[in-house]
Each structure stands twice: as C-alpha cells, then as structure tokens.
Amino acid sequence: MKYLDEYRDGRLAARLLREIERKVAHPWVLMEICGGQTHTIMRYGLDELLPSSIELVHGPGCPVCVTPASILDRAIELAQRDDVTLVSYGDLLRVPGTKIDLFSAKARGADVRMVYSPLDALRIARLNSNRKVVFLAVGFETTAPANAMAVYQAHREGLDNFFLLASHVLVPPAIRALAASPDNRVQGFIAPGHVCTVVGCSDYEDLVQEFHVPIVVGGFEPVDLLQAILGLVTQLEEGRAEFANEYTRSVSYRGNLEAQRILREVFEVADQSWRGLGEIPQSGLRLRGKFAAWDADKVFDLQVPQAEAPSACISAEILKGLQKPTDCSAFGSVCTPESPLGAPMVSSEGACSAYYQYRRHSLVTIQ
Amino acid sequence: MCLAIPGKVISIGTENALRIGRVQFGGITQPVSLDFVPEVVVGDYVMVHVGFAISQVNAEEAELTYIALEQMGLLQGELPSGEEAEETEERL
Ligand code: SF4
C-alpha cells in the first residue's frame, strides 16, 4: 500500500480496493475521461493496486492534448503580427503546432503572455488599448463558461481590442464517438466530475441508454476514483448498465445553471476537430453571430491550416484507449516534458506526462 | 488547467459589472468571478476553475481537497505563484 500511505484516508482506500477485489470475477476495461483523473491514478499507482483483471485506459479529457495543431498555427501566425498580443493558458504555450510552439514564437520576439484566467486576458486588453489582444482559449464544458464570460464581458464593456481564438470540446459527443467505434474496448466510463459540476448529468444518462454502457461520475482524489471504479465493476459483474453519480459533493443533477446560461448565450454547438480523434460532429462550440466582432477567426484574415505532419506520436491511439504511453517508441527518449513531441506530454493532465512523471521506473525495468 | 481548486471567499465587490470576490487559496489571494454562484456570501468556500467559481463546497471538504491537490502537485499551473499573485493585486 506504499502509494496510498500519504493519502489522507488510506484505510478507506484500502477497504474500497478489497471490495473491488471481492466483486471482480471477469476482466474489464474502464476509461477515465478526465486528464486530472489520469494524473491521480498514476500518482497513486491505482492501476497497479487494482486487481490485474481491471485495465484502466486513459481518455481524451485533457483539453490541451486534443487541441488541433491548426489552431496553434493560427495563434502563432497572429502572435507574429506587430500589433497583436497573444495571451493563453501556460500549458498551451508549449504545445507544438505543425512547425513551432508559442514559446518559440515568443523567443523570436512575438508578444506572447501567459494567463491563469480569462479575467487576466480581459485586464491585459483594458490596459493595452493600442494592442489587439487575442485570447487563445481551449477547454471542455468546465472552462467554456469562463471563456464565454470573457467575450460577454468584452461585449458589455465595448472592449473592441479583445478577441477570442477558441477551440472548445464537448465530452458527451467524444464518448459517443469512442463507444460507437468498431474497435472500442471500453466497457465502462468514469465521467469527469468538474464537467458535470457545470453541465449536470442528463447527457450521460442518455449515453447509458444509447450504448448500454455504465457511466459513473467520479472526482479527482484516489478515494473518489476507487469509488467510481467499484461502482462500475459492481454494475458490470451484475450485468447492469446505469448512470450513477459518485461525486455528489460537487455534482448536482442539473449542474450550474448560471454557467449554462452564459454558455448558451455566447456559444452554439458546432462540428469540431480533435487532435488525434479527427472531426467529431456537434462536439465543439463556436461564437454566435452576435459576437462576431470578438471572434478572431472572423476578424483576422487567417491562413488555411496546414496538414498535420507525420510523426512518431501515437497520441491518437492513446486518446482512444487503444495504446498506452509506454507503447510509444518516442516515450521518454525523443519525447519528454522538456521537449514534447506530442500534446499529451505537455500538460500535467496529459497521459504521457503522467506516465513520465510517475512510471519511468517501469520503463527502466523494461529496458 | 482542467482542475478546480477550493478557496475561501474573503470579500465580494463589483468590478466592471462582474461580481468579483477575493478568494484565498493557501497563502495567496486572487480575484475570482462569483457570477456563476450568485448564492455565495463572504466566508463561503468555492471551487474555482480558471478564475471562476463553479460550485460551493463546505469548509471541511474544501480544506481536505486543497491538501490532496497540494500533495498531488496539481496546484502548479492552476494558480499564480506568490510573486505573480502580488503583481495582480498591485495592478487592481
Ligand atoms: S510519448 Fe510523446 S510522442 Fe509518444 S504518444 Fe506520447 S506525446 Fe506522442
């Protein structure tokens, strides 16, 4: 139990693990959607503590990892213009576009700044009225309302030097694409707790009906995840497929109505391309026409995206749960967090980065 | 950038028509939009994601979650460092 010693409730975790061991009779493949959950699983070695018949595969729930290179290319192109200040979340600055990343653009003189919140992006725009401030925003349903609020606020303030360059992704259509795919291996999903905190649970109930697959909402701490895994295994062993919420301290059935309201006011659902997964119908968000004056894609004349260059990166297979980071020939050699080849190595929520941080020992023993 | 971090609301005001609270996370204080949690008052604990409170949590839960996130090394990248936070405060 060495991994769990430091956790606040090692005894509860140990009890949950025993309960899972008692319940499990068949091999099951489970997927956690959210990258924060992947990080916890690796950090505490939950995958190694679970019975070997339970395989955890890591889903596409790291927004940075699924942001298409074409968006980064457009951001880099904008950043290189004299009158533009490009602001974005720290993780995104290191994600490779087809040629370079935003950090390299900054090193070559572009005005690129890191922010922790859309509120910072707005502040930069207010303070620099002579600059065109482009906010490169990505995210799932958790982040989209905050990004939406930034545009809503720019509109309200008449801030005409603030622009959103956005790539938003929605979780339920991604689960649908994975579950419907002929090579799908996943038999139960752990839904992302903070996405559900915002949008509520009804979409996930629909997915359970549609694919007859159990879905349990999980949190981010080891005990939360073990509870979700126990819920899934119990259902699977009993031949049930139901929706359950194991993260009730944050998630209510209806979600955050205020956040949903602003999300609907500013964005509409649109087709979206995901790095690694390709285009998924109705899986993204675009600004409504009313906000066109703040839409970087509409305001700036941007180049058509280049085709993604072939690379050793197998992140597509990883995001679909078909391969593990350690299956990648570049893992830990050519591709490291210091010089990432693919996006899942950049963000601390990316599966490759989580494996690199916590699982290098297994790589060493393999070699 | 996909986590939510719990913090305590220590004051609430209005800035540019946004409902902005000062929220304390461990040793630092940050401006946070409370527009999505209209029911929250000073002294409450909220889960904050990219500068926006997305839900309310109770004090004990907030404390334990914060410790767990800190132990997991997940706070880095979600919140500014002490120095950066001071800069933000100064600019306000
Ligand atoms: S280790 Fe690097 S190259 Fe391999 S899949 Fe992960 S991000 Fe891509």
Side-chain angles (χ1 to χ4, degrees):
Chain A
M1 216 61 24
K2 69 180 159 81
Y3 294 102
L4 286 174
D5 281 350
E6 58 199 291
Y7 180 57
R8 72 184 204 225
D9 209 343
R11 265 183 317 201
L12 178 54
R15 208 169 67 222
L16 286 164
L17 274 166
R18 274 201 306 277
E19 190 67 7
I20 294 168
E21 268 161 38
R22 214 170 53 79
K23 280 267 153 62
V24 71
H26 304 87
W28 302 110
V29 179
L30 311 179
M31 174 183 272
E32 83 281 357
I33 295 292
C34 169
Q37 295 168 335
T38 306
H39 189 107
T40 305
I41 288 166
M42 288 298 127
R43 168 76 164 78
Y44 289 92
L46 296 185
D47 55 332
E48 293 181 339
L49 292 168
L50 285 166
S52 56
S53 51
I54 298 176
E55 184 186 351
L56 295 180
V57 293
H58 319 301
C62 154
V64 173
C65 302
V66 297
T67 299
S70 62
I71 297 276
L72 292 153
D73 288 345
R74 274 182 281 163
I76 292 161
E77 195 205 317
L78 280 173
Q80 284 163 337
R81 299 187 184 189
D82 286 341
D83 55 348
V84 169
T85 296
L86 195 292
V87 299
S88 194
Y89 300 114
D91 278 351
L92 272 173
L93 305 187
R94 297 198 302 120
V95 179
T98 43
K99 294 210 189 74
I100 57 169
D101 60 21
L102 279 161
F103 259 133
S104 329
K106 184 179 168 73
R108 294 177 199 180
D111 186 4
V112 176
R113 304 187 201 174
M114 185 183 115
V115 291
Y116 291 92
S117 162
L119 296 174
D120 303 333
L122 282 173
R123 199 175 299 125
I124 291 173
R126 282 189 209 107
L127 293 173
N128 298 276
S129 53
N130 57 333
R131 310 279 304 161
K132 292 179 175 143
V133 176
V134 178
F135 177 37
L136 168 61
V138 303
F140 283 94
E141 294 93 324
T142 330
T143 323
N147 296 338
M149 191 55 136
V151 174
Y152 182 80
Q153 183 63 14
H155 173 259
R156 187 155 63 177
E157 286 178 38
L159 206 57
D160 58 7
N161 67 326
F162 176 87
F163 308 94
L164 187 77
L165 178 65
S167 175
H168 288 109
V169 276
L170 305 175
V171 175
I175 296 186
R176 181 168 288 115
L178 290 169
S181 139
D183 49 9
N184 172 50
R185 300 174 58 226
V186 181
Q187 293 157 298
F189 291 95
I190 304 174
H194 293 147
V195 166
C196 296
T197 301
V198 170
V199 291
C201 300
S202 63
D203 286 346
Y204 296 85
E205 274 184 344
D206 295 349
L207 286 165
V208 166
Q209 298 301 326
E210 198 176 331
F211 294 101
H212 200 71
V213 63
I215 300 182
V216 173
V217 184
F220 299 83
E221 294 170 39
V223 164
D224 293 328
L225 283 159
L226 290 173
Q227 242 149 15
I229 292 165
L230 175 61
L232 287 173
V233 168
T234 307
Q235 287 197 42
L236 287 164
E237 291 293 349
E238 293 170 6
R240 290 184 289 130
E242 288 158 16
F243 172 81
N245 177 8
E246 295 284 359
Y247 192 43
T248 45
R249 65 178 192 273
S250 174
V251 177
S252 67
Y253 183 78
R254 293 166 71 201
N256 184 319
L257 299 178
E258 283 302 318
Q260 290 169 30
R261 196 179 57 76
I262 195 86
L263 195 61
R264 268 197 309 273
E265 165 121 20
V266 174
F267 291 121
E268 58 195 356
V269 174
D271 295 347
Q272 169 75 26
S273 94
W274 298 52
R275 195 171 195 148
L277 302 181
E279 173 129 335
I280 303 178
Q282 303 290 293
S283 70
L285 298 167
R286 67 164 170 245
L287 283 171
R288 289 187 185 276
K290 180 181 167 193
F291 298 98
W294 291 270
D295 188 339
D297 271 314
K298 299 241 164 65
V299 173
F300 297 96
D301 178 30
L302 291 164
Q303 303 249 311
V304 213
Q306 303 168 350
E308 292 199 19
S311 120
C313 181
I314 60 160
S315 68
E317 304 297 299
I318 294 172
L319 297 174
K320 288 182 207 152
L322 300 175
Q323 301 248 44
K324 298 278 166 62
T326 38
D327 296 325
C328 175
S329 63
F331 178 82
S333 54
V334 193
C335 182
T336 63
E338 288 71 44
S339 72
L341 211 59
M345 190 57 101
V346 174
S347 163
S348 65
E349 284 114 32
C352 298
S353 156
Y355 270 70
Y356 187 84
Q357 259 182 289
Y358 303 118
R359 238 1 101 63
R360 262 186 303 171
H361 62 270
S362 45
L363 188 72
V364 172
T365 45
I366 294 164
Q367 286 168 349
Chain B
M1 52 147 292
C2 80
L3 286 174
I5 315 285
K8 182 182 184 179
V9 179
I10 53 175
S11 70
I12 299 179
T14 306
E15 286 170 30
N16 301 298
L18 288 168
R19 189 168 177 252
I20 300 287
R22 297 267 166 281
V23 176
Q24 197 176 2
F25 305 91
I28 68 160
T29 303
Q30 280 290 289
V32 165
S33 155
L34 302 176
D35 292 271
F36 300 152
V37 286
E39 68 283 5
V40 161
V41 295
V42 170
D44 284 349
Y45 287 80
V46 286
M47 294 297 278
V48 177
H49 175 70
V50 296
F52 285 71
I54 55 169
S55 64
Q56 201 185 333
V57 280
N58 70 41
E60 189 200 4
E61 195 48 56
E63 184 72 17
L64 293 171
T65 305
Y66 190 86
I67 293 169
L69 290 171
E70 199 170 41
Q71 280 180 355
M72 282 191 260
L74 281 173
L75 293 178
Q76 203 199 5
E78 302 286 339
L79 288 171
S81 66
E83 255 167 58
E84 285 172 319
E86 264 167 44
E87 272 173 39
T88 332
E89 284 290 310
E90 272 164 31
R91 273 188 277 130
L92 288 168

